[in-house]
Amino acid sequence: MAHKFEIYKDKAGEFRVRFKYNSEVMFSTEGYASKASAKSAIESIKKNGPDAPVDDTTD
């Protein structure tokens, strides 16, 4: 699979989610105290991401 979500623990012991495409990290989330919260973040991204607007602040 060329893309995937990864849940991992950072140095502070918090759970984080990163999205990888062809082994390149495209984005990562804030830290969460529980793995369940990290999993909820993934579900939220999957549900809300396709309809999210693009806010181009470079203009």
Side-chain angles (χ1 to χ4, degrees):
M1 182 175 284
H3 54 280
K4 64 180 175 180
F5 287 98
E6 285 185 347
I7 298 174
Y8 67 100
K9 270 192 171 182
D10 64 15
K11 291 179 182 178
E14 293 185 314
F15 293 94
R16 292 183 180 263
V17 175
R18 58 184 159 217
F19 181 78
K20 290 179 132 183
Y21 182 75
N22 288 335
S23 300
E24 181 179 346
V25 176
M26 303 304 289
F27 68 84
S28 60
T29 66
E30 63 183 309
Y32 297 98
S34 70
K35 187 186 282 190
S37 293
K39 288 181 177 183
S40 292
I42 292 170
E43 293 308 312
S44 178
I45 293 165
K46 286 180 175 181
K47 177 182 174 188
N48 300 307
D51 296 326
V54 175
D55 185 11
D56 185 351
T57 62
T58 61
D59 295 330

